[in-house]
Every structure is written in C-alpha cells, then in structure tokens.
Amino acid sequence: ALGFAAQANGGVRLIELYVDKGETGKASVLLETLQSKIAIIDNLVTLNTVAFKLADGFYDKKMFKEAIACYRLVRPRDEVLQFQTDRIAAMERWMKANSTPDPRDPGNYLKAQQYLERVKNAHAESQALLEEFQKLPDYGPSLMFRIARCWYDWDKKWEALVVFRRLLDEFPKADEREMARWR
C-alpha cells in the first residue's frame, strides 16, 4: 500500500509542476484520475490544496467551466479530517500488528524493519499535517464564494445567485458573506 501512496504522492507533485508550467489540461486530467482513486491517496490535504491552486489558475485564465470543475473536486473540511484521521489510525494498527518482525528470517527481517520505518515516518508526517490542518479555518465559505464568482464572471448570473444564496444560508458568519452581498 505504501508503494501506491508513493505513486499517488508523485502524481500530486506532478500536478503541481504542471500547474507551475501552465499545463493546466494535463494537471486537470491527473487531478481527476487521483480523485477517482482516493483509496491510494496518502495526503488528502495536499490534494485539496493542489485542486484549489489549479482551479484558481483556470479562473485567472477566464476558463470558468474548468475552474468550477476543479473547485468541485475539493473535498469538504470534515471529509478531509475524517480521511486523515482514518488513514493515521490504519497506519497505527499496521504498526502495532507489525512492530516485531521475525528475526529468524534475516532477509525479510531487514525489509520488514525498513518498511516499518517508512510507515512510521509517513505516520509522523500525516499526524503533523493533520494537526496543522485542524488549526486552519473552514475553507467552505471561500470555496463556495470562488464557485459563485466563476458563475458570475462567466455571465451566468442565475447560477451565481444560487451559489451566493447557499453561501449566505450555510455560512451566516463567514467573511465571504459581505462579499456575497455586493454581488
């Protein structure tokens, strides 16, 4: 499983490179592919960040349809927290079950020790990332505002109005509330 996670992490980094190079089409396809294989993702926080960045890039290029599609790939905060918590718990269960490799098999013992060390490192990294993520405010209002802004700038005022109304209803105390009023 750690091998698939490493490949998925490489995919996330590749998306970032594509975005930085302006190859948004390739980035978008890869993002959708990774989102469809969420079970191999080790770090949903980073994948969400990349989706935001890609969508913002599409918005800046006035590619509103593509921006909305990417914004819709961003997972809600509660889902990210649950995903990361479950992932950490699975790593902890695996480490507990495999904490003492059989030293009678020297060839596999060394491999098992190395794999255990990689899982421990991934666990520590995931735990630290989760703790930092928990400190951040909910990005739901910002996400919804960005989607509404895309619709509005795409000259689809009715769709923008619906999203702005939802923003006002779901997040009555959000900073974006004032921005939604002037639209």
Side-chain angles (χ1 to χ4, degrees):
L2 203 56
F4 290 126
Q7 290 176 355
N9 290 339
V12 172
R13 287 188 183 92
L14 185 56
I15 293 170
E16 290 174 322
L17 289 173
Y18 283 151
V19 170
D20 291 343
K21 288 181 154 190
E23 297 182 38
T24 52
K26 289 180 181 179
S28 183
V29 168
L30 187 51
L31 177 64
E32 288 179 31
T33 301
L34 286 175
Q35 286 282 5
S36 71
K37 299 179 185 308
I38 203 72
I40 66 169
I41 299 298
D42 195 34
N43 181 340
L44 196 53
V45 174
T46 304
L47 191 61
N48 260 5
T49 302
V50 169
F52 261 115
K53 187 176 180 182
L54 179 58
D56 288 345
F58 279 130
Y59 176 81
D60 291 343
K61 293 180 179 180
K62 300 190 183 318
M63 299 171 71
F64 304 120
K65 180 179 178 181
E66 293 82 359
I68 292 169
C70 285
Y71 286 134
R72 287 182 175 161
L73 292 175
V74 174
R75 306 276 176 149
R77 177 179 167 72
D78 292 342
E79 186 178 328
V80 173
L81 288 170
Q82 187 63 53
F83 180 90
Q84 289 299 119
T85 302
D86 292 348
R87 179 69 61 174
I88 289 168
M91 287 182 202
E92 289 169 353
R93 286 190 302 274
W94 187 92
M95 288 187 300
K96 184 177 181 183
N98 296 285
S99 63
T100 53
D102 187 0
R104 295 173 290 177
D105 186 0
N108 286 331
Y109 179 77
L110 184 58
K111 287 179 187 176
Q113 283 293 98
Q114 291 171 341
Y115 192 75
L116 180 60
E117 192 61 33
R118 288 197 324 242
V119 172
K120 284 180 181 179
N121 291 338
H123 175 269
E125 184 179 313
S126 293
Q127 186 66 43
L129 188 66
L130 177 61
E131 289 169 7
E132 287 301 311
F133 185 74
Q134 288 172 325
K135 295 175 187 175
L136 298 174
D138 187 3
Y139 52 84
S142 175
L143 176 63
M144 203 171 288
F145 178 79
R146 289 171 180 188
I147 292 171
R149 183 184 62 178
C150 282
W151 287 118
Y152 186 87
D153 292 346
W154 194 8
D155 206 25
K156 302 214 179 236
K157 306 301 190 236
W158 177 252
E159 291 85 348
L161 179 65
V162 169
V163 179
F164 279 127
R165 169 76 344 207
R166 187 172 161 212
L167 170 61
L168 294 170
D169 291 344
E170 289 184 26
F171 303 99
K173 296 181 181 178
D175 294 337
E176 288 81 359
R177 184 177 176 86
E178 285 305 313
M179 291 184 274
R181 284 191 177 155
W182 67 263
R183 287 286 194 171

PDB file of all heavy atoms in Angstrom, residues 50-79:
ATOM      1  N   VAL A  50      -3.804  21.436  -4.046  1.00  0.00           N
ATOM      2  CA  VAL A  50      -3.483  21.437  -5.479  1.00  0.00           C
ATOM      3  C   VAL A  50      -4.737  21.709  -6.307  1.00  0.00           C
ATOM      4  O   VAL A  50      -4.682  22.452  -7.292  1.00  0.00           O
ATOM      5  CB  VAL A  50      -2.820  20.093  -5.879  1.00  0.00           C
ATOM      6  CG1 VAL A  50      -2.726  19.950  -7.372  1.00  0.00           C
ATOM      7  CG2 VAL A  50      -1.443  19.984  -5.251  1.00  0.00           C
ATOM      8  N   ALA A  51      -5.874  21.151  -5.895  1.00  0.00           N
ATOM      9  CA  ALA A  51      -7.123  21.386  -6.625  1.00  0.00           C
ATOM     10  C   ALA A  51      -7.501  22.870  -6.572  1.00  0.00           C
ATOM     11  O   ALA A  51      -7.896  23.453  -7.587  1.00  0.00           O
ATOM     12  CB  ALA A  51      -8.245  20.532  -6.046  1.00  0.00           C
ATOM     13  N   PHE A  52      -7.345  23.491  -5.404  1.00  0.00           N
ATOM     14  CA  PHE A  52      -7.599  24.927  -5.274  1.00  0.00           C
ATOM     15  C   PHE A  52      -6.686  25.721  -6.213  1.00  0.00           C
ATOM     16  O   PHE A  52      -7.138  26.623  -6.928  1.00  0.00           O
ATOM     17  CB  PHE A  52      -7.331  25.400  -3.838  1.00  0.00           C
ATOM     18  CG  PHE A  52      -8.552  25.545  -2.986  1.00  0.00           C
ATOM     19  CD1 PHE A  52      -8.737  24.727  -1.885  1.00  0.00           C
ATOM     20  CD2 PHE A  52      -9.501  26.515  -3.249  1.00  0.00           C
ATOM     21  CE1 PHE A  52      -9.846  24.863  -1.072  1.00  0.00           C
ATOM     22  CE2 PHE A  52     -10.617  26.671  -2.447  1.00  0.00           C
ATOM     23  CZ  PHE A  52     -10.784  25.834  -1.356  1.00  0.00           C
ATOM     24  N   LYS A  53      -5.410  25.388  -6.192  1.00  0.00           N
ATOM     25  CA  LYS A  53      -4.426  26.113  -6.997  1.00  0.00           C
ATOM     26  C   LYS A  53      -4.732  25.982  -8.490  1.00  0.00           C
ATOM     27  O   LYS A  53      -4.683  26.966  -9.237  1.00  0.00           O
ATOM     28  CB  LYS A  53      -3.024  25.582  -6.684  1.00  0.00           C
ATOM     29  CG  LYS A  53      -1.898  26.349  -7.305  1.00  0.00           C
ATOM     30  CD  LYS A  53      -0.556  25.795  -6.836  1.00  0.00           C
ATOM     31  CE  LYS A  53       0.599  26.533  -7.447  1.00  0.00           C
ATOM     32  NZ  LYS A  53       1.895  25.983  -7.043  1.00  0.00           N
ATOM     33  N   LEU A  54      -5.069  24.773  -8.912  1.00  0.00           N
ATOM     34  CA  LEU A  54      -5.396  24.545 -10.320  1.00  0.00           C
ATOM     35  C   LEU A  54      -6.666  25.309 -10.708  1.00  0.00           C
ATOM     36  O   LEU A  54      -6.713  25.966 -11.747  1.00  0.00           O
ATOM     37  CB  LEU A  54      -5.572  23.052 -10.583  1.00  0.00           C
ATOM     38  CG  LEU A  54      -5.931  22.639 -12.002  1.00  0.00           C
ATOM     39  CD1 LEU A  54      -4.888  23.117 -13.013  1.00  0.00           C
ATOM     40  CD2 LEU A  54      -6.094  21.119 -12.088  1.00  0.00           C
ATOM     41  N   ALA A  55      -7.679  25.240  -9.857  1.00  0.00           N
ATOM     42  CA  ALA A  55      -8.932  25.950 -10.143  1.00  0.00           C
ATOM     43  C   ALA A  55      -8.705  27.456 -10.203  1.00  0.00           C
ATOM     44  O   ALA A  55      -9.235  28.133 -11.099  1.00  0.00           O
ATOM     45  CB  ALA A  55      -9.971  25.604  -9.081  1.00  0.00           C
ATOM     46  N   ASP A  56      -7.917  27.990  -9.274  1.00  0.00           N
ATOM     47  CA  ASP A  56      -7.613  29.421  -9.301  1.00  0.00           C
ATOM     48  C   ASP A  56      -6.882  29.797 -10.590  1.00  0.00           C
ATOM     49  O   ASP A  56      -7.118  30.870 -11.158  1.00  0.00           O
ATOM     50  CB  ASP A  56      -6.767  29.818  -8.089  1.00  0.00           C
ATOM     51  CG  ASP A  56      -7.553  29.814  -6.783  1.00  0.00           C
ATOM     52  OD1 ASP A  56      -8.796  29.781  -6.821  1.00  0.00           O
ATOM     53  OD2 ASP A  56      -6.893  29.844  -5.718  1.00  0.00           O
ATOM     54  N   GLY A  57      -6.009  28.910 -11.049  1.00  0.00           N
ATOM     55  CA  GLY A  57      -5.305  29.147 -12.319  1.00  0.00           C
ATOM     56  C   GLY A  57      -6.269  29.195 -13.494  1.00  0.00           C
ATOM     57  O   GLY A  57      -6.141  30.055 -14.380  1.00  0.00           O
ATOM     58  N   PHE A  58      -7.225  28.285 -13.508  1.00  0.00           N
ATOM     59  CA  PHE A  58      -8.246  28.310 -14.553  1.00  0.00           C
ATOM     60  C   PHE A  58      -9.064  29.604 -14.472  1.00  0.00           C
ATOM     61  O   PHE A  58      -9.356  30.218 -15.493  1.00  0.00           O
ATOM     62  CB  PHE A  58      -9.194  27.106 -14.439  1.00  0.00           C
ATOM     63  CG  PHE A  58      -8.659  25.828 -15.023  1.00  0.00           C
ATOM     64  CD1 PHE A  58      -8.693  24.655 -14.289  1.00  0.00           C
ATOM     65  CD2 PHE A  58      -8.148  25.780 -16.304  1.00  0.00           C
ATOM     66  CE1 PHE A  58      -8.228  23.467 -14.825  1.00  0.00           C
ATOM     67  CE2 PHE A  58      -7.672  24.599 -16.860  1.00  0.00           C
ATOM     68  CZ  PHE A  58      -7.714  23.431 -16.104  1.00  0.00           C
ATOM     69  N   TYR A  59      -9.419  30.012 -13.275  1.00  0.00           N
ATOM     70  CA  TYR A  59     -10.185  31.245 -13.110  1.00  0.00           C
ATOM     71  C   TYR A  59      -9.401  32.439 -13.656  1.00  0.00           C
ATOM     72  O   TYR A  59      -9.952  33.269 -14.377  1.00  0.00           O
ATOM     73  CB  TYR A  59     -10.552  31.480 -11.638  1.00  0.00           C
ATOM     74  CG  TYR A  59     -11.247  32.798 -11.440  1.00  0.00           C
ATOM     75  CD1 TYR A  59     -12.601  32.936 -11.713  1.00  0.00           C
ATOM     76  CD2 TYR A  59     -10.541  33.926 -11.034  1.00  0.00           C
ATOM     77  CE1 TYR A  59     -13.245  34.152 -11.570  1.00  0.00           C
ATOM     78  CE2 TYR A  59     -11.182  35.152 -10.890  1.00  0.00           C
ATOM     79  CZ  TYR A  59     -12.525  35.260 -11.163  1.00  0.00           C
ATOM     80  OH  TYR A  59     -13.148  36.473 -11.039  1.00  0.00           O
ATOM     81  N   ASP A  60      -8.123  32.519 -13.318  1.00  0.00           N
ATOM     82  CA  ASP A  60      -7.288  33.623 -13.787  1.00  0.00           C
ATOM     83  C   ASP A  60      -7.228  33.686 -15.309  1.00  0.00           C
ATOM     84  O   ASP A  60      -7.091  34.767 -15.885  1.00  0.00           O
ATOM     85  CB  ASP A  60      -5.871  33.512 -13.219  1.00  0.00           C
ATOM     86  CG  ASP A  60      -5.823  33.753 -11.713  1.00  0.00           C
ATOM     87  OD1 ASP A  60      -6.799  34.308 -11.162  1.00  0.00           O
ATOM     88  OD2 ASP A  60      -4.813  33.354 -11.096  1.00  0.00           O
ATOM     89  N   LYS A  61      -7.353  32.527 -15.964  1.00  0.00           N
ATOM     90  CA  LYS A  61      -7.329  32.466 -17.430  1.00  0.00           C
ATOM     91  C   LYS A  61      -8.735  32.608 -18.021  1.00  0.00           C
ATOM     92  O   LYS A  61      -8.922  32.415 -19.215  1.00  0.00           O
ATOM     93  CB  LYS A  61      -6.722  31.141 -17.888  1.00  0.00           C
ATOM     94  CG  LYS A  61      -5.259  31.003 -17.569  1.00  0.00           C
ATOM     95  CD  LYS A  61      -4.742  29.659 -18.054  1.00  0.00           C
ATOM     96  CE  LYS A  61      -3.273  29.507 -17.771  1.00  0.00           C
ATOM     97  NZ  LYS A  61      -2.767  28.207 -18.238  1.00  0.00           N
ATOM     98  N   LYS A  62      -9.698  32.887 -17.147  1.00  0.00           N
ATOM     99  CA  LYS A  62     -11.099  33.033 -17.548  1.00  0.00           C
ATOM    100  C   LYS A  62     -11.666  31.742 -18.153  1.00  0.00           C
ATOM    101  O   LYS A  62     -12.552  31.759 -18.998  1.00  0.00           O
ATOM    102  CB  LYS A  62     -11.289  34.210 -18.499  1.00  0.00           C
ATOM    103  CG  LYS A  62     -10.868  35.533 -17.871  1.00  0.00           C
ATOM    104  CD  LYS A  62     -11.274  36.707 -18.696  1.00  0.00           C
ATOM    105  CE  LYS A  62     -10.811  38.030 -18.150  1.00  0.00           C
ATOM    106  NZ  LYS A  62     -10.892  38.278 -16.748  1.00  0.00           N
ATOM    107  N   MET A  63     -11.148  30.620 -17.676  1.00  0.00           N
ATOM    108  CA  MET A  63     -11.633  29.298 -18.070  1.00  0.00           C
ATOM    109  C   MET A  63     -12.578  28.829 -16.950  1.00  0.00           C
ATOM    110  O   MET A  63     -12.249  27.958 -16.152  1.00  0.00           O
ATOM    111  CB  MET A  63     -10.460  28.338 -18.279  1.00  0.00           C
ATOM    112  CG  MET A  63      -9.503  28.784 -19.371  1.00  0.00           C
ATOM    113  SD  MET A  63      -7.990  27.796 -19.452  1.00  0.00           S
ATOM    114  CE  MET A  63      -8.617  26.255 -20.082  1.00  0.00           C
ATOM    115  N   PHE A  64     -13.761  29.453 -16.906  1.00  0.00           N
ATOM    116  CA  PHE A  64     -14.654  29.299 -15.778  1.00  0.00           C
ATOM    117  C   PHE A  64     -15.212  27.886 -15.637  1.00  0.00           C
ATOM    118  O   PHE A  64     -15.356  27.384 -14.522  1.00  0.00           O
ATOM    119  CB  PHE A  64     -15.780  30.330 -15.857  1.00  0.00           C
ATOM    120  CG  PHE A  64     -15.266  31.738 -15.936  1.00  0.00           C
ATOM    121  CD1 PHE A  64     -15.566  32.548 -17.018  1.00  0.00           C
ATOM    122  CD2 PHE A  64     -14.447  32.256 -14.944  1.00  0.00           C
ATOM    123  CE1 PHE A  64     -15.085  33.849 -17.104  1.00  0.00           C
ATOM    124  CE2 PHE A  64     -13.962  33.555 -15.013  1.00  0.00           C
ATOM    125  CZ  PHE A  64     -14.282  34.346 -16.090  1.00  0.00           C
ATOM    126  N   LYS A  65     -15.554  27.249 -16.744  1.00  0.00           N
ATOM    127  CA  LYS A  65     -16.092  25.884 -16.690  1.00  0.00           C
ATOM    128  C   LYS A  65     -15.067  24.944 -16.050  1.00  0.00           C
ATOM    129  O   LYS A  65     -15.408  24.139 -15.174  1.00  0.00           O
ATOM    130  CB  LYS A  65     -16.452  25.408 -18.100  1.00  0.00           C
ATOM    131  CG  LYS A  65     -17.019  24.024 -18.161  1.00  0.00           C
ATOM    132  CD  LYS A  65     -17.356  23.652 -19.595  1.00  0.00           C
ATOM    133  CE  LYS A  65     -17.894  22.243 -19.684  1.00  0.00           C
ATOM    134  NZ  LYS A  65     -18.205  21.860 -21.067  1.00  0.00           N
ATOM    135  N   GLU A  66     -13.823  25.053 -16.463  1.00  0.00           N
ATOM    136  CA  GLU A  66     -12.757  24.212 -15.926  1.00  0.00           C
ATOM    137  C   GLU A  66     -12.485  24.543 -14.460  1.00  0.00           C
ATOM    138  O   GLU A  66     -12.218  23.648 -13.644  1.00  0.00           O
ATOM    139  CB  GLU A  66     -11.482  24.371 -16.756  1.00  0.00           C
ATOM    140  CG  GLU A  66     -11.576  23.842 -18.168  1.00  0.00           C
ATOM    141  CD  GLU A  66     -12.246  24.796 -19.172  1.00  0.00           C
ATOM    142  OE1 GLU A  66     -12.687  25.909 -18.774  1.00  0.00           O
ATOM    143  OE2 GLU A  66     -12.342  24.421 -20.344  1.00  0.00           O
ATOM    144  N   ALA A  67     -12.553  25.832 -14.124  1.00  0.00           N
ATOM    145  CA  ALA A  67     -12.333  26.243 -12.731  1.00  0.00           C
ATOM    146  C   ALA A  67     -13.397  25.636 -11.827  1.00  0.00           C
ATOM    147  O   ALA A  67     -13.079  25.074 -10.771  1.00  0.00           O
ATOM    148  CB  ALA A  67     -12.333  27.766 -12.620  1.00  0.00           C
ATOM    149  N   ILE A  68     -14.648  25.724 -12.244  1.00  0.00           N
ATOM    150  CA  ILE A  68     -15.739  25.159 -11.446  1.00  0.00           C
ATOM    151  C   ILE A  68     -15.554  23.655 -11.284  1.00  0.00           C
ATOM    152  O   ILE A  68     -15.740  23.109 -10.192  1.00  0.00           O
ATOM    153  CB  ILE A  68     -17.109  25.506 -12.061  1.00  0.00           C
ATOM    154  CG1 ILE A  68     -17.373  27.011 -11.934  1.00  0.00           C
ATOM    155  CG2 ILE A  68     -18.230  24.696 -11.419  1.00  0.00           C
ATOM    156  CD1 ILE A  68     -18.558  27.510 -12.737  1.00  0.00           C
ATOM    157  N   ALA A  69     -15.179  22.988 -12.363  1.00  0.00           N
ATOM    158  CA  ALA A  69     -14.957  21.536 -12.283  1.00  0.00           C
ATOM    159  C   ALA A  69     -13.880  21.201 -11.257  1.00  0.00           C
ATOM    160  O   ALA A  69     -14.022  20.241 -10.483  1.00  0.00           O
ATOM    161  CB  ALA A  69     -14.581  20.981 -13.653  1.00  0.00           C
ATOM    162  N   CYS A  70     -12.810  21.970 -11.216  1.00  0.00           N
ATOM    163  CA  CYS A  70     -11.739  21.720 -10.240  1.00  0.00           C
ATOM    164  C   CYS A  70     -12.168  22.082  -8.823  1.00  0.00           C
ATOM    165  O   CYS A  70     -11.849  21.362  -7.874  1.00  0.00           O
ATOM    166  CB  CYS A  70     -10.474  22.483 -10.615  1.00  0.00           C
ATOM    167  SG  CYS A  70      -9.589  21.749 -11.991  1.00  0.00           S
ATOM    168  N   TYR A  71     -12.870  23.187  -8.670  1.00  0.00           N
ATOM    169  CA  TYR A  71     -13.358  23.548  -7.332  1.00  0.00           C
ATOM    170  C   TYR A  71     -14.266  22.447  -6.781  1.00  0.00           C
ATOM    171  O   TYR A  71     -14.268  22.175  -5.587  1.00  0.00           O
ATOM    172  CB  TYR A  71     -14.113  24.877  -7.351  1.00  0.00           C
ATOM    173  CG  TYR A  71     -13.249  26.102  -7.494  1.00  0.00           C
ATOM    174  CD1 TYR A  71     -13.578  27.104  -8.395  1.00  0.00           C
ATOM    175  CD2 TYR A  71     -12.107  26.274  -6.705  1.00  0.00           C
ATOM    176  CE1 TYR A  71     -12.793  28.247  -8.521  1.00  0.00           C
ATOM    177  CE2 TYR A  71     -11.320  27.414  -6.827  1.00  0.00           C
ATOM    178  CZ  TYR A  71     -11.671  28.395  -7.741  1.00  0.00           C
ATOM    179  OH  TYR A  71     -10.888  29.524  -7.859  1.00  0.00           O
ATOM    180  N   ARG A  72     -15.017  21.817  -7.641  1.00  0.00           N
ATOM    181  CA  ARG A  72     -15.917  20.746  -7.197  1.00  0.00           C
ATOM    182  C   ARG A  72     -15.155  19.491  -6.770  1.00  0.00           C
ATOM    183  O   ARG A  72     -15.732  18.628  -6.106  1.00  0.00           O
ATOM    184  CB  ARG A  72     -16.924  20.421  -8.290  1.00  0.00           C
ATOM    185  CG  ARG A  72     -17.968  21.500  -8.435  1.00  0.00           C
ATOM    186  CD  ARG A  72     -18.980  21.167  -9.482  1.00  0.00           C
ATOM    187  NE  ARG A  72     -20.036  22.172  -9.502  1.00  0.00           N
ATOM    188  CZ  ARG A  72     -20.843  22.358 -10.513  1.00  0.00           C
ATOM    189  NH1 ARG A  72     -20.755  21.614 -11.588  1.00  0.00           N
ATOM    190  NH2 ARG A  72     -21.773  23.286 -10.451  1.00  0.00           N
ATOM    191  N   LEU A  73     -13.899  19.386  -7.146  1.00  0.00           N
ATOM    192  CA  LEU A  73     -13.077  18.245  -6.720  1.00  0.00           C
ATOM    193  C   LEU A  73     -12.499  18.433  -5.318  1.00  0.00           C
ATOM    194  O   LEU A  73     -11.979  17.492  -4.724  1.00  0.00           O
ATOM    195  CB  LEU A  73     -11.938  18.001  -7.718  1.00  0.00           C
ATOM    196  CG  LEU A  73     -12.352  17.514  -9.105  1.00  0.00           C
ATOM    197  CD1 LEU A  73     -11.136  17.444 -10.023  1.00  0.00           C
ATOM    198  CD2 LEU A  73     -13.042  16.160  -9.023  1.00  0.00           C
ATOM    199  N   VAL A  74     -12.593  19.649  -4.804  1.00  0.00           N
ATOM    200  CA  VAL A  74     -12.086  19.923  -3.456  1.00  0.00           C
ATOM    201  C   VAL A  74     -13.020  19.248  -2.454  1.00  0.00           C
ATOM    202  O   VAL A  74     -14.227  19.456  -2.499  1.00  0.00           O
ATOM    203  CB  VAL A  74     -12.002  21.443  -3.193  1.00  0.00           C
ATOM    204  CG1 VAL A  74     -11.623  21.718  -1.746  1.00  0.00           C
ATOM    205  CG2 VAL A  74     -11.010  22.091  -4.155  1.00  0.00           C
ATOM    206  N   ARG A  75     -12.443  18.449  -1.585  1.00  0.00           N
ATOM    207  CA  ARG A  75     -13.227  17.731  -0.573  1.00  0.00           C
ATOM    208  C   ARG A  75     -13.527  18.661   0.609  1.00  0.00           C
ATOM    209  O   ARG A  75     -12.688  19.468   0.990  1.00  0.00           O
ATOM    210  CB  ARG A  75     -12.461  16.515  -0.064  1.00  0.00           C
ATOM    211  CG  ARG A  75     -11.992  15.570  -1.138  1.00  0.00           C
ATOM    212  CD  ARG A  75     -13.057  14.612  -1.521  1.00  0.00           C
ATOM    213  NE  ARG A  75     -12.583  13.778  -2.637  1.00  0.00           N
ATOM    214  CZ  ARG A  75     -12.965  12.551  -2.807  1.00  0.00           C
ATOM    215  NH1 ARG A  75     -13.805  12.001  -1.964  1.00  0.00           N
ATOM    216  NH2 ARG A  75     -12.527  11.859  -3.834  1.00  0.00           N
ATOM    217  N   PRO A  76     -14.710  18.523   1.202  1.00  0.00           N
ATOM    218  CA  PRO A  76     -15.063  19.357   2.362  1.00  0.00           C
ATOM    219  C   PRO A  76     -14.122  19.114   3.545  1.00  0.00           C
ATOM    220  O   PRO A  76     -13.559  18.030   3.693  1.00  0.00           O
ATOM    221  CB  PRO A  76     -16.489  18.905   2.713  1.00  0.00           C
ATOM    222  CG  PRO A  76     -16.986  18.170   1.525  1.00  0.00           C
ATOM    223  CD  PRO A  76     -15.794  17.640   0.800  1.00  0.00           C
ATOM    224  N   ARG A  77     -13.980  20.097   4.383  1.00  0.00           N
ATOM    225  CA  ARG A  77     -13.084  20.041   5.538  1.00  0.00           C
ATOM    226  C   ARG A  77     -13.360  18.817   6.415  1.00  0.00           C
ATOM    227  O   ARG A  77     -12.436  18.116   6.808  1.00  0.00           O
ATOM    228  CB  ARG A  77     -13.224  21.328   6.353  1.00  0.00           C
ATOM    229  CG  ARG A  77     -12.397  21.357   7.623  1.00  0.00           C
ATOM    230  CD  ARG A  77     -12.587  22.690   8.356  1.00  0.00           C
ATOM    231  NE  ARG A  77     -12.094  22.705   9.697  1.00  0.00           N
ATOM    232  CZ  ARG A  77     -10.819  22.713  10.059  1.00  0.00           C
ATOM    233  NH1 ARG A  77      -9.886  22.672   9.144  1.00  0.00           N
ATOM    234  NH2 ARG A  77     -10.474  22.734  11.326  1.00  0.00           N
ATOM    235  N   ASP A  78     -14.629  18.573   6.736  1.00  0.00           N
ATOM    236  CA  ASP A  78     -14.966  17.439   7.591  1.00  0.00           C
ATOM    237  C   ASP A  78     -14.533  16.116   6.968  1.00  0.00           C
ATOM    238  O   ASP A  78     -14.061  15.220   7.662  1.00  0.00           O
ATOM    239  CB  ASP A  78     -16.475  17.400   7.874  1.00  0.00           C
ATOM    240  CG  ASP A  78     -16.937  18.550   8.748  1.00  0.00           C
ATOM    241  OD1 ASP A  78     -16.086  19.186   9.411  1.00  0.00           O
ATOM    242  OD2 ASP A  78     -18.147  18.824   8.767  1.00  0.00           O
ATOM    243  N   GLU A  79     -14.695  15.999   5.660  1.00  0.00           N
ATOM    244  CA  GLU A  79     -14.288  14.782   4.963  1.00  0.00           C
ATOM    245  C   GLU A  79     -12.767  14.617   4.995  1.00  0.00           C
ATOM    246  O   GLU A  79     -12.265  13.513   5.182  1.00  0.00           O
ATOM    247  CB  GLU A  79     -14.789  14.816   3.516  1.00  0.00           C
ATOM    248  CG  GLU A  79     -14.551  13.539   2.759  1.00  0.00           C
ATOM    249  CD  GLU A  79     -15.105  13.578   1.351  1.00  0.00           C
ATOM    250  OE1 GLU A  79     -16.129  14.253   1.121  1.00  0.00           O
ATOM    251  OE2 GLU A  79     -14.503  12.934   0.469  1.00  0.00           O
TER     252      GLU A  79
END
